[in-house]
């Protein structure tokens, strides 16, 4: 098939890295069980024993992932992403190594280990954001503004997002245009989607005041109106809207309506100008590159590095509604890979190009890799202190105690 349609196959990369990482480590501890029991009186260092296993498995995973990426990228004709793909898949495979070691250390038989692996792997696949989109999860699990917490717990989500964003954003073709396409996308969204939606809410608020009826839905419309105008003002250098404090049911009036409407028209004109400026910058880049490398340069560069199927995913082209109402604010769903996150604590929408943590902006690729290794470090401490095994033993003790109590009660009742 054409190379531009192959991106869905590359989403299997992270599943393969997790599967291989778990499989190669699943029997590492359980096969040494008899030796460990026999030599336990020597007080051998568990720390050194586990580290020797981890060093060997991490080295094996590094070789496996490098060979896998070389062969897969050659077949799929993915160019210029070998080291990036290898690093993120190696990170995911190392996490899977630790999962395998933890399972091997916790369970008592090889059969139980291999039964447990699918129960760990399947959620990683289903909740990675590809098989089941996060917006389609149950409303109690997800909010459209950010990736749901249950998704953030899945290492596959961080691996997959890093692969997708890195391949789209930093390939040799897109890197020339990304900053200007981001400016164009932001301005187009506000002029063509956000402002018309705010105007709709403005009209509904005026009707509610004129009819002197305020239902719960109409009160929410005032929240959407106020927060939408705040978002517009925040995204420009013109300062806050003069009447922002009057966009509520108690102070709203026809005068406020007229001022707000004029403000929205002015903002729409401003964002349309920004769209034209961004388009002129893109044209300037095209002209400069063609002048240096020739007219066919960009054509061949796009054919070799731009993946249309990937773009469909990260630009959310399958989503018909580009803006949603949620949590008293209007949530953008257009071009997520061009959309900057709002949270200052690392949370973001899916396919965000960057993450913000403690007022510092980090590229998604490096931020996600850091998260994967932090999760691996947590799992390492679970393994080192055998926390999972101790928890299961406590649960088993509790179940046995409860069973004895219930059995005793039933025996007493039967005697009476």
């Amino acid at each position: 098939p054409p190379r531009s349609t192959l991106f869905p196959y590359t989403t299997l990369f992270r599943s393969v890295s997790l599967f291989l990482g778990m499989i190669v480590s699943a029997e590492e501890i359980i096969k040494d069980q008899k030796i460990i029991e026999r030599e336990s009186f020597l007080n051998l260092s568990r720390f050194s024993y586990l580290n020797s296993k981890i060093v060997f498995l991490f080295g094996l995973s590094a070789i496996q992932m490098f060979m896998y990426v070389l062969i897969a990228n050659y077949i799929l004709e993915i160019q210029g992403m070998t080291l990036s793909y290898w690093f993120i898949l190696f990170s995911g495979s190392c996490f899977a190594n630790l999962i395998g070691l933890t399972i091997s250390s916790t369970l008592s038989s090889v059969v139980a280990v291999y039964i447990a692996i699918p129960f760990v792997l399947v959620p990683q696949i289903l909740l990675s954001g590809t098989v089941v989109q996060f917006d389609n999860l149950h409303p109690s699990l997800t909010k459209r503004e950010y990736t749901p917490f249950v998704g953030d717990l899945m290492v596959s989500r961080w691996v997959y997002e890093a692969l997708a964003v890195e391949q789209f954003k930093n390939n040799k073709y897109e890197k020339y245009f990304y900053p200007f396409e981001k400016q164009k996308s932001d301005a187009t969204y506000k002029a063509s989607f956000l402002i018309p939606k705010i105007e709709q809410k403005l009209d509904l608020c005026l009707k509610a005041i004129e009819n002197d009826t305020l239902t719960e839905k109409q009160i929410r419309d005032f929240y959407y109106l106020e927060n939408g105008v705040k978002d517009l003002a925040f995204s420009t250098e013109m300062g806050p809207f003069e009447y922002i404090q009057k966009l509520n049911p108690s102070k709203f009036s026809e005068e406020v309506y007229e001022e707000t409407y004029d403000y929205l028209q002015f903002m729409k004109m401003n964002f349309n100008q920004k769209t034209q400026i961004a388009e002129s910058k893109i044209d300037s880049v095209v002209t400069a590159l063609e002048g240096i490398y020739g007219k066919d340069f960009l054509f061949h560069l796009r054919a070799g590095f731009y993946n249309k199927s990937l773009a469909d995913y990260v630009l959310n082209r399958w989503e018909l509604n580009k803006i949603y109402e949620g949590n008293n604010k209007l949530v953008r769903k257009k071009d997520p890979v061009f959309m900057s996150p709002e949270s200052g604590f690392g949370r973001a929408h899916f396919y965000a190009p960057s993450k913000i943590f403690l007022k510092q902006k980090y590229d998604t690729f490096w931020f996600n890799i850091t998260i994967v290794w932090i999760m691996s470090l947590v799992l390492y401490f679970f393994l080192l202190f055998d926390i999972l095994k101790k928890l299961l033993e406590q649960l088993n003790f509790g179940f046995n105690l409860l069973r004895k109590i219930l059995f005793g009660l039933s025996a007493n009742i039967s005697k009476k």
Side-chain angles (χ1 to χ4, degrees), residues 215-230:
T215 63
E216 183 178 348
K217 182 180 182 303
Q218 290 169 331
I219 292 175
R220 284 202 304 270
D221 288 336
F222 276 98
Y223 283 115
Y224 292 133
L225 174 63
E226 181 181 2
N227 291 330
V229 172
K230 284 181 179 178

Side-chain angles (χ1 to χ4, degrees), residues 55-276:
V55 169
F56 167 75
L57 290 170
F58 280 15
L60 179 61
S61 293
I63 296 171
Q64 283 182 326
M65 289 301 103
F66 186 71
M67 293 176 63
Y68 180 74
V69 169
L70 281 180
I71 296 171
N73 282 8
Y74 174 77
I75 294 173
L76 299 178
E77 300 181 23
I78 299 173
Q79 302 180 43
M81 306 297 299
T82 301
L83 290 179
S84 300
Y85 264 51
W86 171 79
F87 191 32
I88 187 62
L89 292 177
F90 167 67
S91 300
S93 187
C94 290
F95 177 83
N97 290 154
L98 292 169
I99 290 179
L101 289 174
T102 302
I103 294 173
S104 183
S105 176
T106 302
L107 302 180
S108 57
S109 70
V110 175
V111 174
V113 167
Y114 284 106
I115 290 175
I117 286 177
F119 287 95
V120 177
L121 187 61
V122 170
Q124 294 286 343
I125 297 173
L126 292 179
L127 297 175
S128 64
T130 52
V131 178
V132 179
Q133 292 187 352
F134 290 132
D135 288 344
N136 294 333
L137 294 176
H138 192 274
S140 63
L141 296 176
T142 184
K143 293 182 179 179
R144 296 185 182 276
E145 189 174 358
Y146 300 120
T147 301
F149 181 71
V150 68
D152 288 338
L153 294 177
M154 301 294 130
V155 72
S156 57
R157 163 260 197 273
W158 299 100
V159 170
Y160 166 68
E161 184 185 45
L163 287 175
V165 172
E166 179 70 10
Q167 186 175 345
F168 176 84
K169 180 182 173 183
N170 293 321
N171 67 72
K172 291 186 179 180
Y173 173 81
E174 185 65 26
K175 69 179 183 180
Y176 289 113
F177 304 102
Y178 181 84
F180 311 119
E181 288 184 351
K182 184 179 186 303
Q183 294 173 12
K184 179 183 175 180
S185 174
D186 290 339
T188 302
Y189 164 74
K190 292 181 175 68
S192 302
F193 294 95
L194 181 58
I195 291 178
K197 189 71 173 181
I198 296 174
E199 290 175 341
Q200 178 187 355
K201 295 300 179 184
L202 182 64
D203 292 336
L204 291 174
C205 291
L206 180 63
K207 289 180 181 179
I209 294 298
E210 290 177 342
N211 297 332
D212 197 23
T213 58
L214 280 176
T215 63
E216 183 178 348
K217 182 180 182 303
Q218 290 169 331
I219 292 175
R220 284 202 304 270
D221 288 336
F222 276 98
Y223 283 115
Y224 292 133
L225 174 63
E226 181 181 2
N227 291 330
V229 172
K230 284 181 179 178
D231 288 342
L232 285 177
F234 181 76
S235 60
T236 62
E237 302 80 21
M238 292 179 288
F241 177 48
E242 181 181 357
Y243 291 81
I244 191 68
Q245 301 298 330
K246 296 184 178 181
L247 297 179
N248 57 71
S250 61
K251 298 181 181 179
F252 194 80
S253 64
E254 289 191 17
E255 179 187 358
V256 175
Y257 171 87
E258 295 293 339
E259 292 292 340
T260 307
Y261 181 81
D262 292 340
Y263 176 78
L264 292 175
Q265 296 306 306
F266 173 76
M267 295 295 283
K268 184 183 289 187
M269 182 177 64
N270 179 269
F271 286 117
N272 283 330
Q273 290 177 349
K274 288 186 176 182
T275 300
Q276 295 175 0

